[in-house]
Amino acid sequence: FFCFYTEDQILLSDCASSLAVQAYLRMCGLPVQVVCRANAEYMSPSGKIPFIHVGNQVVSELGPIVQFTRAKLYIQWCDDATAAEISRPRYSSPYSWPLSNVLAYQKQWEVRRKMNAIGWGGKTLEQVYEDVSQCCQALSQRLGTQPYFFNKQPTELDALVFGHLFTILTTRLTSTELAERVKSCSNLLSFCKRIEQTYFEDKSS
């Protein structure tokens, strides 16, 4: 299982996707070895991380939750404060100057071009936060009082939702507004805590 470099360098969207894949593999009872590489996105067959190496097969992505992915990309690269204080420094940190600056600004330009192409380039930050709130409300209603989205057993959907929500809740950004939108749904908080305790906490200690 390959992901991007270290905890203080990985971006919000990449961290969410990596955590989602880890959660699903652990739910399946499979042994997981996480390998962090500065060039992970260039090693991936789709150019996206994380990706899994099993025998001779390399598989990238698990399947995106579109609204969360778009929102996180927007906040990372289209919000000027977040891009300057967090995203560009983290993305460029494995590389030396001036390549670090070139690659960071190139990444920002690519994401902004994609946001414009899907109609998100003209959104305000508040509109993006509202999109996240609506997504959280829909997930909260679907989960209800069940431990997992399909009752007692976790599925790929649980892994994906956990990866995105837990990353939003635990990643430092220039504003806590994104995390506050998730925290407004108490059952989603309990859901994240349940998966963290069940699949990520060390039971041997």
Side-chain angles (χ1 to χ4, degrees):
F1 175 90
F2 288 79
C3 61
F4 188 81
Y5 225 51
T6 59
E7 184 177 316
D8 60 346
Q9 295 168 336
I10 193 168
L11 298 174
L12 180 64
S13 56
D14 294 333
C15 183
S17 298
S18 297
L19 194 58
V21 175
Q22 283 190 64
Y24 181 59
L25 294 175
R26 292 172 189 267
M27 287 172 183
C28 293
L30 298 172
V32 180
Q33 180 183 1
V34 179
V35 180
C36 297
R37 291 284 186 271
N39 62 338
E41 76 177 299
Y42 302 106
M43 296 167 63
S44 170
S46 68
K48 297 181 180 181
I49 57 173
F51 66 93
I52 305 169
H53 186 261
V54 184
N56 294 323
Q57 300 296 316
V58 177
V59 181
S60 62
E61 303 179 88
L62 186 61
I65 297 178
V66 175
Q67 202 76 336
F68 276 132
T69 302
R70 289 177 177 176
K72 290 196 293 291
L73 282 173
Y74 179 98
I75 291 167
Q76 285 175 158
W77 296 109
C78 298
D79 176 53
D80 291 332
T82 304
E85 295 178 31
I86 296 177
S87 301
R88 287 201 302 268
R90 285 190 173 199
Y91 188 82
S92 63
S93 58
Y95 310 102
S96 58
W97 188 90
L99 180 62
S100 56
N101 278 4
V102 171
L103 292 177
Y105 277 101
Q106 179 182 338
K107 180 69 173 182
Q108 184 172 3
W109 179 82
E110 289 175 353
V111 172
R112 289 189 173 188
R113 181 169 59 86
K114 290 178 182 177
M115 292 291 103
N116 286 328
I118 62 174
W120 276 55
K123 282 181 178 282
T124 65
L125 197 55
E126 183 57 36
Q127 287 175 323
V128 173
Y129 287 143
E130 185 57 32
D131 285 339
V132 171
S133 289
Q134 292 176 8
C135 189
C136 287
Q137 288 296 330
L139 288 170
S140 178
Q141 291 175 12
R142 175 66 184 84
L143 180 64
T145 58
Q146 302 176 130
Y148 302 106
F149 282 96
F150 293 98
N151 204 1
K152 296 182 179 180
Q153 294 300 320
T155 65
E156 297 96 325
L157 177 61
D158 297 285
L160 281 169
V161 173
F162 168 75
H164 287 275
L165 294 183
F166 191 82
T167 303
I168 289 173
L169 291 168
T170 58
T171 301
R172 180 182 65 85
L173 295 173
T174 55
S175 168
T176 62
E177 184 62 28
L178 192 61
E180 292 302 320
R181 300 297 176 115
V182 176
K183 289 178 182 178
S184 67
C185 301
S186 59
N187 62 337
L188 294 182
L189 285 178
S190 299
F191 165 82
C192 288
K193 187 172 183 180
R194 182 178 305 112
I195 291 183
E196 181 191 16
Q197 292 176 338
T198 303
Y199 296 103
F200 287 88
E201 289 187 354
D202 186 1
K203 302 296 192 299
S204 61
S205 58

